[in-house]
Every structure is written in C-alpha cells, then in structure tokens.
Amino acid sequence: MGATERVTTRFTAESTAAEVLADVDLSGHRSVVTGASSGIGVETARALAGAGSEVTLAVRDAEVGRRVAADITATTGNAALRVARLDLADLASIAVFVAGWSGPLHALVNNAGIMATPELRTPQGWELQFGTNHLGHFALADGLRPALAAAGGARVVAVSSAAHLRSAVEFDDIHFERRPYHPWAAYGQSKTANVLFAVEATRRWAADGITANALMPGAIMTNLQRHIDSGEAERARARSGVPARAWKTVEQGAATSVLLAASPLLDGVGGRYFEDCAEAPPHTPGSVSGVAPHALDPAAAERLWDVSLRTLG
C-alpha cells in the first residue's frame, strides 16, 4: 500500500461487522474493546469473538459487562470473554486496568465515549469530554504499549466522529477555562484529538510494529445520545444531512471498527481516518463526510501528544 494511496475495500456502509470478519481467523488473537457494554461496542466485541479473538470487555459497570459477555458467548460459541472494570475519567481506574493486563495485546479498540454533555469536569479539572474521549484513552494506550509491542503488528483503533469537523483542538484553551463552554464544540475537539492520536501513535510507535487508525462509525442511534433530549436529537439528526434511510444499525456501525482492528486488508496501514469501511477522502465544505485537514495535521498531532503527556504528568 503506497503512502498516499487511498485505502478502499469491498465492504460498504451497509456491511456488518460479522460480514467484515467472516473469512478471518483470529485464533490466538487478543483484543480489548472499551465501552463494550452497549451500542457498537457490543457488536465490535461480538464480531471479534465470532472470529476467534479472546476479547476483554473494558466497561464501567462490570455486572452489565458480564451479561453482555454471556450473550456474546451464547451467540458466538466463544467462551474466551473477559470483563474488566474501566472508568476512562479516572486515572486510578486506568492504572488498575493496565496493571492487571498480562501478555500480548493484538488490538485495542478505543470505542467508549461521551457526547455533548453539560459542562462537567474530571477530578483533575479537565473538561470531561476531552478528559474521557481523548486523555483517558491516551493513558490507556500508552500504558498498554508494551503489550501491544509484544504482539507484533498490533493495532489501535480510535473511534472518532464526523463531529471532528466542528472543531480543531484549541490548544490555547482546551478545557474551556476562558471561552464559553459549548457541548458540541467540546465533543468535536475531543473527536479531532482521537484522529490526531492515531496519526502520532503510528509515527511514534512504528518501531514497535504498532499502527493506529481512526474512524467515523456512521450515524447510529445508541446510548451515546443519552445527554441529548429528544427534540435536540431530532434537530441534530436533521442537521446531519444524513437521510433517515442511511442511518446504520449497530451491526453496521461496528463494521469499520473491526475492519481496522483485525482485517488483513489493513495490514501495515496507519495514521488514517476511515468511514464506511474505506479511507475517507478530504472533507468538502457543506458535506457531512470526509476528514478535515486539521485532524491529520502532523504538527498538531505531535503537539497534542506532548500536551497530553504533560497533562497526565
């Protein structure tokens, strides 16, 4: 695959996660999926387990996670499901998860996220969406780097969003300490950070054989919308420009995640942004698809990495 060649596959927006991995054998493969107790996280874990991966569900509510794991085992026949508690807004929780991991890790799917919350902060005072969606996943991936390196050819998947089009990372005031808080601007900034993470992780971790990519799963109604009232949800749906018939099922929404996590079609590919099971083209103003230049800017990616390290101490 050439460095500038756009990646396409035979899969489409209508493909499901199970279809993407239908011919893939993941025996001996180990994966972690954050936020695997609802929405596309469940179907991401289910498709990976269905292909033979040993899957760890990293979830805030372990009891819910155990019910999901039992359901996945019942539908796939794979009993190699593990549940571990993980709160991405809590650095101590992340440290416990990392310390509890042993052995190689072939795929880390950073799927969990929160969207358009009221103005809330982590215990450290960080804006909650940036703290959870980016900093929490950054700390997790950095902590698990030795396990990823041990796997040889490991992959990190960052679930981003078309909302990254709303905002670059505002380095002068990331945590809305001086500018007025806006839930969608905060969400968009965090989703841009997810893409920039993939760009810089691929560069920094190349010697370890680790690649990272980001993706837009598509328009899907899940628990991610829990902070939005029904009227706002309908307005957001109308503003999205996505026809109702084009909204995806959770099985379709998980397809691009598992493509990046485990398909041999993506061997050696990193630092890119995907949608509908293909690398996204550059964003065209007025559209709701494609990738913004600010999300792939290597200088911004390097700066964000350094800022993240300093922030986490």
Side-chain angles (χ1 to χ4, degrees):
M1 189 74 63
T4 59
E5 183 181 347
R6 180 169 169 255
V7 180
T8 59
T9 73
R10 64 182 181 276
F11 303 109
T12 69
E14 287 74 42
S15 300
T16 66
E19 289 168 348
V20 168
L21 296 185
D23 299 321
V24 178
D25 181 3
L26 295 182
S27 301
H29 182 276
R30 305 178 78 208
S31 54
V32 169
V33 181
T34 69
S37 59
S38 66
I40 65 171
V42 175
E43 299 311 318
T44 299
R46 192 188 311 276
L48 290 167
S53 182
E54 174 194 309
V55 185
T56 294
L57 313 184
V59 298
R60 283 188 297 176
D61 189 325
E63 180 55 38
V64 174
R66 284 189 284 271
R67 291 198 295 268
V68 170
D71 177 68
I72 292 174
T73 294
T75 57
T76 65
N78 184 346
L81 274 292
R82 175 173 173 258
V83 177
R85 187 180 179 279
L86 176 68
D87 182 348
L88 289 162
D90 181 352
L91 294 182
S93 175
I94 296 168
V96 169
F97 183 94
V98 169
W101 185 269
S102 62
L105 174 61
H106 300 84
L108 169 61
V109 183
N110 289 335
N111 166 82
I114 53 175
M115 181 175 76
T117 64
E119 185 171 8
L120 298 168
R121 298 193 176 271
T122 70
Q124 294 79 15
W126 307 327
E127 189 279 312
L128 187 63
Q129 295 188 78
F130 191 85
T132 302
N133 297 347
H134 169 63
L135 288 172
H137 277 131
F138 180 95
L140 178 67
D142 193 47
L144 291 173
R145 178 183 174 181
L148 292 162
R155 302 181 187 184
V156 182
V157 179
V159 178
S160 180
S161 167
H164 84 274
L165 299 169
R166 291 175 175 265
S167 179
V169 174
E170 298 295 338
F171 288 103
D172 292 336
D173 190 16
I174 287 175
H175 299 290
F176 293 85
E177 294 166 325
R178 293 178 297 280
R179 55 181 169 143
Y181 178 77
H182 190 286
W184 287 105
Y187 181 64
Q189 174 181 246
S190 74
K191 294 291 100 178
T192 290
N194 292 153
V195 189
L196 292 173
F197 164 81
V199 171
E200 188 66 4
T202 296
R203 186 183 76 83
R204 293 203 181 211
W205 295 350
D208 291 330
I210 302 168
T211 54
N213 289 290
L215 70 118
M216 158 62 171
I220 314 148
M221 292 303 292
T222 69
N223 287 343
L224 188 63
Q225 286 86 12
R226 63 187 175 276
H227 294 290
I228 308 170
D229 65 39
S230 58
E232 173 59 20
E234 283 305 312
R235 290 190 292 274
R237 186 168 181 155
R239 286 197 305 269
S240 74
V242 180
R245 66 180 181 278
W247 281 60
K248 295 183 179 183
T249 65
V250 286
E251 293 85 0
Q252 292 169 332
T256 307
S257 292
V258 300
L259 177 81
L260 300 183
S263 171
L265 298 174
L266 271 295
D267 284 348
V269 174
R272 309 191 191 197
Y273 175 90
F274 288 72
E275 57 190 12
D276 297 337
C277 295
E279 185 178 358
H283 172 63
T284 301
S287 74
V288 293
S289 62
V291 60
H294 64 243
L296 296 177
D297 179 8
E302 183 175 12
R303 184 179 182 185
L304 177 63
W305 195 281
D306 292 338
V307 166
S308 301
L309 287 175
R310 290 198 302 273
T311 300
L312 292 169

